[in-house]
Amino acid sequence: MKLEVVVLAAGKGTRMRSALPKVLHLVAGKPMLSHVLESAQKLSPDHIHVVCGHGADQVREYFSHDLTINWIFQAEQMGTGHAVCQALPDISTQSTVLVLYGDIPLILPGTLQRLTDEARDGSLALLSASFDNPHGYGRVVRDPDNAICAIVEEADASSDQRKISEINTGFIAAPAEKLKDWLDAVDNNNSQGEYYLTDIVGAAACSGTPVKGVICEDILEVMGVNSRSDLAKAERNFQRREAEKLMDAGLTLDDPSRFDLRGQLEFGEDCRMDINVVVSGTVKMGKNVFVGPNSQISDSEIGDNVEIRANSIIEGAYIADHCSVGPFARLRPGTELATGARIGNFVETKNAVIGEDSKANHLAYVGDASVGQRVNIGAGVITCNYDGANKHQTKIENDAFIGSNTALVAPLTVGEGATVGAGSAVSRDVPAGQLAVTRAQQTVKDGWERPQKNKTSKGESSQ
Ligand code: UD1
Ligand code: MG
């Protein structure tokens, strides 16, 4: 039987107080809707339909790269039942339909699989959970035999029903054909004047279709996001879950509550992250990598035995084995450090290949450059790569020594083993093995004396 997923995402999210559609708000650097779609995709459904309404253009634009989504536009939000109805014409009758919400981002594929499996025999399956504070949720009503007979919304519930702690998460799985029949019969005679998807539960129970409750033990998976406060909770819950997974896989996190993953992290044995490290995009690390506090790493690959010291920012870089970076270093996209290279404090690199055992230990800018092996780049060296219109390359060959406070005006080659004297502005190629110095010659004035203060008699003012 086919599997069709319907994700409801048309609501406004009034309580977010935001111009951004609710499902585009980020959890771990990704829109909530992305998380839901990723979990759904793990079930290999035949189709995924997303019902959008408020901010539909923005939502579709964000996901425009994903051509597998079938977008359904719900012009007016008349309730969850009405929202699912909009998708029905695109759904095969010979399928199981799984309904998800775009604002419940932490749901796991395993839970969705359990729910879907329960509906394969033609039953209606709904995901429920037990909440200490069920306020605001639809309550699952069971008969004396413990069979589910209805879901009643908070607004329509009696005071006894409000005491029920088993809540409807909103996620259901049902056979498409029956779902169509049940939805046809749903009306909006309730306190909110909406077409409730939840009314199909009563309809199914009346028609003799088994209604199966699948209980979600981890309530964090089914927490909805309606406010900024909920969003912050979802973020922390997500991060705690990821941190646990990483630690189980062998990563040392000095404080798991002060580590944020906004992408994918692969790592070898004995890697350690100090506090406040943020990893985003795709990051791969070899063995025995240490990342110091307050560092950010995104879309980078790091080899074995590397030390990233405090407050470093690494983006789109490749760092080979035995390198040392930071503290306070900034490696920008296109940086490649070969084995044993060292980039120290307040050094910025961009589109720069730094050869084996070369170092720029303090206060330098190395951009659009290729640096050979065993090169020393002194403090305050700058590759002047931009002439105001175009970028140019600097090439520094093996064993060159660039003295402190040198401006290398590109395009430029400093030959193998060449030396540039401190304080030079070099704009012509330096031949291999030669010394280039462009600073003004020092003069020493014989007999020069430092000016002295005029001597004035006591009480006289000095001008
Ligand atoms: C719904 C359930 C409730 C459940 C709760 C869990 C109904 C009637 N009630 O209530 O039993 O406990 O979720 O969070 O289903 N949406 C649309 N179009 C609409 C209306 C809603 O796409 O016309 C979307 C929203 O964007 C949201 C989801 O459906 O993603 C749920 O809607 P919401 O208004 O939050 O429903 P609740 O009142 O929370
Ligand atoms: Mg809600």
Side-chain angles (χ1 to χ4, degrees):
M1 176 118 44
K2 285 185 171 172
L3 176 62
E4 307 259 7
V5 172
V6 179
V7 184
L8 304 189
K12 185 166 184 215
T14 311
R15 282 193 280 150
M16 296 298 285
R17 298 179 185 277
S18 173
L20 193 68
K22 180 159 82 168
V23 292
L24 289 188
H25 281 264
L26 306 180
V27 169
K30 263 190 316 204
M32 291 196 277
L33 182 54
S34 294
H35 290 270
V36 177
L37 293 173
E38 275 174 26
S39 283
Q41 268 146 4
K42 295 259 166 58
L43 274 61
S44 308
D46 292 275
H47 300 103
I48 295 183
H49 313 269
V50 178
V51 180
C52 54
H54 275 284
D57 290 345
Q58 253 175 296
V59 177
R60 293 178 65 151
E61 170 67 26
Y62 186 93
F63 291 93
S64 55
H65 59 279
D66 187 342
L67 303 175
T68 66
I69 300 172
N70 179 37
W71 294 99
I72 310 280
F73 183 63
Q74 187 194 22
E76 201 185 337
Q77 283 67 59
M78 292 159 71
T80 47
H82 179 262
V84 174
C85 276
Q86 308 311 297
L88 288 179
D90 289 7
I91 285 176
S92 145
T93 45
Q94 299 306 306
S95 66
T96 301
V97 180
L98 173 65
V99 178
L100 310 177
Y101 289 0
D103 57 359
I104 302 187
L106 303 195
I107 191 73
L108 291 174
T111 307
L112 296 181
Q113 190 65 61
R114 274 202 298 140
L115 181 65
T116 310
D117 290 346
E118 291 296 331
R120 293 283 185 199
D121 63 359
S123 304
L124 168 60
L126 67 90
L127 190 68
S128 73
S130 185
F131 278 14
D132 287 342
N133 176 11
H135 180 77
Y137 288 89
R139 309 297 206 283
V140 177
V141 183
R142 290 176 182 265
D143 67 16
D145 297 329
N146 209 33
I148 296 172
C149 50
I151 289 174
V152 54
E153 292 306 298
E154 168 99 13
D156 306 289
S158 66
S159 59
D160 272 352
Q161 287 170 329
R162 287 183 187 187
K163 288 181 190 140
I164 299 172
S165 61
E166 185 179 8
I167 63 98
N168 169 39
T169 65
F171 294 178
I172 61 147
E177 213 158 4
K178 290 183 184 172
L179 182 63
K180 284 184 189 192
D181 291 344
W182 297 328
L183 279 170
D184 277 347
V186 167
D187 61 29
N188 63 352
N189 293 328
N190 51 54
S191 58
Q192 300 185 84
E194 287 184 5
Y195 294 89
Y196 291 164
L197 175 62
T198 44
D199 281 355
I200 66 168
V201 173
C206 285
S207 69
T209 300
V211 181
K212 298 182 186 168
V214 174
I215 295 171
C216 183
E217 300 293 347
D218 180 3
I219 60 168
L220 301 181
E221 271 187 65
V222 292
M223 281 187 57
V225 172
N226 293 308
S227 63
R228 305 267 182 176
S229 167
D230 292 342
L231 187 67
K233 284 180 196 138
E235 178 73 35
R236 285 340 306 160
N237 291 333
F238 178 90
Q239 293 300 346
R240 202 169 306 134
R241 191 159 88 183
E242 292 305 306
E244 287 299 328
K245 275 198 268 177
L246 293 170
M247 290 189 293
D248 285 349
L251 180 69
T252 294
L253 294 173
D254 284 6
D255 182 353
S257 66
R258 283 183 289 171
F259 168 76
D260 279 55
L261 180 62
R262 299 174 190 159
Q264 306 295 322
L265 173 63
E266 270 179 43
F267 55 90
E269 268 177 344
D270 296 315
C271 290
R272 179 183 152 217
M273 306 267 186
D274 210 316
I275 58 166
N276 295 333
V277 172
V278 179
V279 169
S280 49
T282 303
V283 173
K284 288 185 187 170
M285 301 191 317
K287 294 181 204 161
N288 201 27
V289 173
F290 169 73
V291 182
N294 310 316
S295 294
Q296 295 178 24
I297 309 178
S298 59
D299 296 309
S300 294
E301 199 174 328
I302 299 172
D304 298 342
N305 303 306
V306 170
E307 188 177 12
I308 313 285
R309 292 150 106 184
N311 300 295
S312 295
I313 308 215
I314 296 169
E315 191 187 351
Y318 172 81
I319 300 174
D321 302 346
H322 299 288
C323 286
S324 155
V325 174
F328 295 99
R330 181 173 182 210
L331 308 193
R332 292 170 54 201
T335 296
E336 286 180 31
L337 306 188
T339 307
R342 300 166 71 89
I343 298 295
N345 35 209
F346 306 106
V347 175
E348 175 182 345
T349 62
K350 184 215 72 171
N351 273 339
V353 178
I354 313 284
E356 272 181 46
D357 297 320
S358 289
K359 52 188 190 243
N361 275 338
H362 337 261
L363 301 150
Y365 173 64
V366 184
D368 299 307
S370 96
V371 176
Q373 301 174 4
R374 299 172 300 280
V375 169
N376 182 76
I377 295 177
V381 169
I382 292 177
T383 54
C384 309
N385 56 336
Y386 185 51
D387 60 12
N390 296 299
K391 298 278 172 70
H392 302 283
Q393 288 285 323
T394 300
K395 188 170 185 209
I396 305 175
E397 294 180 344
N398 294 345
D399 300 296
F401 181 99
I402 315 295
S404 297
N405 224 25
T406 291
L408 300 169
V409 183
L412 184 76
T413 298
V414 178
E416 188 164 342
T419 300
V420 177
S424 297
V426 182
S427 53
R428 278 185 290 135
D429 289 354
V430 183
Q434 302 288 302
L435 167 69
V437 201
T438 68
R439 59 179 178 245
Q441 284 237 316
Q442 181 173 330
T443 55
V444 174
K445 295 195 175 173
D446 275 345
W448 179 83
E449 275 180 23
R450 196 184 279 182
Q452 303 290 313
K453 274 195 177 170
N454 289 337
K455 289 203 174 65
T456 52
S457 54
K458 217 176 172 191
E460 235 176 279
S461 68
S462 58
Q463 295 287 309

